[in-house]
Amino acid sequence: MRVMLCGMPKQRLVVIGNGMAGARVVEEVLARGGNERFKIAIFSDEASGSYDRMQLADVLNGSQDESAIVRRSFAWYQENQIQLNGGQRALLVSRPTRTVYGPAGVAEPYDKLVFATGSSPYFPPLKNLFDANGDRLSGVTGFRTLADCRTIADLATDSRRVAVIGGGLLALEAARGLSGHGCEVHLIHSGSQLMNQQLDEYAGQIVQRLVERAGIHVHLNRAVRSLLGQRRVNGLVLSDDTSMPCELVVVSTGLIPNTWLAYQCGLTVERGIAVDAELRSLDDRDIHALGECAQLRDRVHGSKDAILEQARVIAAQLMDAHSTARYHAQSAVSMKVMGLNLATVGNIRAAAARDQIAEYREPGRNRYKKIVLRERRVIGAILLGDVGAFPALSSAFESNARLSDAQLAELIAPSTTKANDWARVA
Ligand SMILES: Cc1cc2nc3c(=O)[nH]c(=O)nc-3n(C[C@H](O)[C@H](O)[C@H](O)COP(=O)(O)OP(=O)(O)OC[C@H]3O[C@@H](n4cnc5c(N)ncnc54)[C@H](O)[C@@H]3O)c2cc1C
């Protein structure tokens, strides 16, 4: 499909999803002069335009206006001649005719297609999750979108007690967002510590203290067995057989990549849409995927840092058929948790007897650094409350170089203190 504009044939680029990944790919393409090469169309099933999902808790707790988290206005799309099919879900991809179909007869032909469909909250098979009509009980929701945020804020107004199920970052963010609403907030997690994938026990305790200081009740080692209520939830039953009355339940127990559309059009889908290092589908060189819907080798790389890098790789590939850009899967992740910066890389727990741990702890300021070493090479790290050394640590991890005492002391030192005073290798 070619469109003639100003005498130059333009190709059609269609992006499905306008979250962090989809919007970022388009920005990277534009930054490389992509408007000259492509006529761009986006399908976005969220009507609210492009916003920063990572700040939803601030909207929920009222410290930010919805408008403050909008990243690209509707005018931006117009100025860049992008066809934004807002509030329109892509329903079907036809690879033989190279067309994406939306509702009400919308059809966007493509030469290049990008899947950026993200993921949806996972609802575990709780007893009584659904009412007699097969609908989820009212008052039970995920926390992923602005629409979820509005629903939760509405329901919280007439709730005395709210339960958040989960112990990961998104559960903590939901609890933080709810903590200003005048209702009791209970965080219920089946694990023995918060954020057990990203934090070790000590860092988990720092975060738990901050959560409790925000007035949130934390229940660890307790799973939710079933929900109570007919049409609207009015409580839940825990694994120790105790029950807890509550009028709102926010479920944050994991994510499922949105891959149905890719599967439907015959692409290989495992956990996510299977891609190679050029982030192309294994089945179709004209289709890319990135963000939380894509899977490289056996992993989904959906963090913010990963997505920014992936968007650069795809834009380079789209703009230059001979591009050598490749995505080098990294395990580094950075985020903000309960107001603290957190960055992790690699294996955060010693795995072998010969592994060494270098640590710096400053409890009064909630600062904690831990570097896991094997034969003086960094195999993992946690930086909580002080992430200044993150770039240097990530590159030490990537290069797999042996560290001298001085280099290690530099890495473990708090950002504002002289290096050697602080290093402690156990
Ligand atoms: C509260 C919160 C805090 C977070 N904090 C951090 C953090 O500190 N650090 C970090 O790295 N990550 C964080 N994340 C995760 C981060 O937001 C995600 O990794 C990122 O948004 C993933 O981007 P994505 O574009 O792949 O998916 P999404 O942002 O989910 O975007 C996908 C979009 O595609 C749309 N879509 C899906 N199917 C279709 C279809 N068929 N047609 C049209 N549109 C479709 C979806 O509705 C959605 O709008 C946080 C997330 C939340 C919710």
Side-chain angles (χ1 to χ4, degrees), residues 177-243:
L178 277 159
S179 62
H181 281 261
C183 43
E184 257 180 45
V185 181
H186 292 256
L187 186 72
I188 302 166
H189 179 40
S190 56
S192 57
Q193 67 157 84
L194 296 178
M195 294 184 69
N196 40 315
Q197 281 178 23
Q198 292 88 4
L199 303 179
D200 64 3
E201 203 183 329
Y202 181 74
Q205 284 164 1
I206 296 178
V207 169
Q208 185 172 341
R209 263 201 314 275
L210 293 175
V211 171
E212 288 171 338
R213 210 175 287 163
I216 298 158
H217 304 260
V218 178
H219 308 263
L220 297 176
N221 298 307
R222 292 169 97 186
V224 174
R225 199 188 306 145
S226 70
L227 302 180
L228 300 171
Q230 298 290 326
R231 295 182 70 86
R232 167 100 194 243
V233 71
N234 59 26
L236 40 81
V237 181
L238 298 166
S239 46
D240 59 4
D241 279 336
T242 53
S243 57

Side-chain angles (χ1 to χ4, degrees), residues 331-332 343-349 355-358 370-383 389-404 407-412:
S331 69
T344 66
V345 64
N347 189 342
I348 58 159
R349 292 179 178 90
D355 292 349
Q356 288 187 300
I357 306 282
K370 170 180 175 180
I371 304 178
V372 187
L373 299 151
R374 184 170 297 167
E375 291 162 1
R376 299 206 71 89
R377 295 181 171 91
V378 176
I379 62 163
I382 301 174
L383 303 180
F390 190 45
L393 249 172
S394 305
S395 64
F397 173 79
E398 295 296 334
S399 70
N400 199 28
R402 288 172 78 98
L403 298 181
S404 67
Q407 286 170 318
L408 177 58
E410 190 71 40
L411 287 174
I412 200 71

Side-chain angles (χ1 to χ4, degrees), residues 15-23 42-46 49 51-57 85 88-91 116-120 143-145 169-170 173-174 255 258 261 290-294 302-307 333-337:
V15 179
I16 308 178
N18 191 34
M20 184 189 292
I42 303 178
F43 281 91
S44 170
D45 67 354
E46 290 190 76
Y51 62 89
D52 185 355
R53 207 176 293 292
M54 298 193 299
Q55 293 191 47
L56 282 177
N85 296 306
Q88 300 202 33
R89 187 170 187 74
L91 298 173
T117 46
S119 51
S120 301
F143 180 53
R144 176 81 192 168
T145 62
L169 174 69
L170 304 193
E173 284 292 276
L255 297 168
N258 294 322
L261 208 53
L290 79 163
E292 284 188 346
C293 68
S303 70
K304 174 193 67 184
D305 305 287
I307 288 173
V333 178
S334 63
M335 58 187 78
K336 207 155 196 156
V337 49

Side-chain angles (χ1 to χ4, degrees), residues 107-124:
E108 297 285 359
Y110 69 83
D111 296 289
K112 303 284 179 188
L113 176 61
V114 176
F115 278 91
T117 46
S119 51
S120 301
Y122 165 70
F123 287 83

